[in-house]
């Protein structure tokens, strides 16, 4: 199933994403939720920081730098598999549709794949869910 990235690498990326999310959340804890969004939605997501990705974390923050380097150091094919895992973890594909998820990830530009992976604040949770669904955890 995984050919270009192994489970240990996925878990390492997931842990780095978790650390980046925690650092981001520590920064956001100092900001009132009302200051992050103009209108509170009636339904759906009520966490105003959820759509921010890692943007509140300065680009030179050590955790963000390490996470960025880890993603950038992967081969294009490994990033595609990581994006396919993300898609499965998000529920866009079922585990049985692995090949289709990889095909969709392969059709995207690498820059877009990097941005999608890096900007997903819940990357850790989605990757771990995907590994579980694929029975790789």
């Amino acid at each position: 199933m995984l050919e270009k990235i192994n489970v240990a690498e996925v878990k390492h990326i997931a842990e780095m994403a978790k650390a980046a999310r925690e650092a981001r959340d520590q920064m956001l804890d100092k900001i009132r939720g009302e200051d992050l969004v103009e209108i509170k939605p009636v339904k759906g997501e009520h966490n105003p920081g959820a759509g921010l990705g890692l943007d509140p974390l300065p680009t030179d923050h050590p955790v963000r730098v390490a996470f960025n380097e880890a993603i950038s150091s992967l081969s294009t094919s490994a990033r595609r598999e990581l994006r396919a895992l993300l898609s499965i973890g998000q529920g866009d594909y079922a585990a049985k549709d692995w090949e289709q998820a990889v095909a969709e990830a392969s059709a995207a530009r690498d820059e877009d794949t990097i941005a999608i992976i890096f900007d997903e604040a819940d990357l850790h949770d989605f990757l771990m869910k995907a590994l579980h669904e694929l029975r790789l955890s």
Side-chain angles (χ1 to χ4, degrees):
M1 181 162 299
L2 294 178
E3 297 175 3
K4 304 300 180 182
I5 191 169
N6 63 49
V7 173
E9 290 172 312
V10 173
K11 288 182 177 181
H12 178 70
I13 294 288
E15 288 304 314
M16 294 185 85
K18 183 178 181 181
R21 169 70 187 260
E22 289 170 353
R24 181 206 79 144
D25 287 351
Q26 286 178 351
M27 294 187 75
L28 289 178
D29 282 346
K30 299 172 186 168
I31 302 171
R32 295 178 347 165
E34 296 81 26
D35 293 338
L36 293 175
V37 65
E38 293 179 23
I39 300 172
K40 185 174 180 177
V42 176
K43 293 183 179 179
E45 184 66 56
H46 289 274
N47 178 359
L52 297 176
L54 297 179
D55 286 344
L57 201 57
T59 56
D60 62 347
H61 191 285
V63 173
R64 186 170 179 166
V65 169
F67 181 53
N68 190 26
E69 288 174 359
I71 299 296
S72 299
S73 70
L74 294 173
S75 70
T76 301
S77 299
R79 283 192 293 268
R80 288 175 179 158
E81 288 187 356
L82 198 64
R83 183 171 178 181
L85 286 169
L86 174 60
S87 295
I88 289 172
Q90 290 174 317
D92 296 333
Y93 290 96
K96 66 182 175 76
D97 299 323
W98 169 252
E99 297 299 327
Q100 188 178 355
V102 171
E104 181 180 304
S106 297
R109 295 179 333 137
D110 193 45
E111 297 81 18
D112 294 338
T113 295
I114 291 170
I116 287 169
I117 292 169
F118 192 70
D119 289 341
E120 179 52 63
D122 295 324
L123 182 64
H124 171 270
D125 297 340
F126 290 136
L127 291 179
M128 298 310 291
K129 181 179 177 185
L131 289 177
H132 176 75
E133 289 184 15
L134 292 165
R135 294 185 166 88
L136 296 174
S137 56

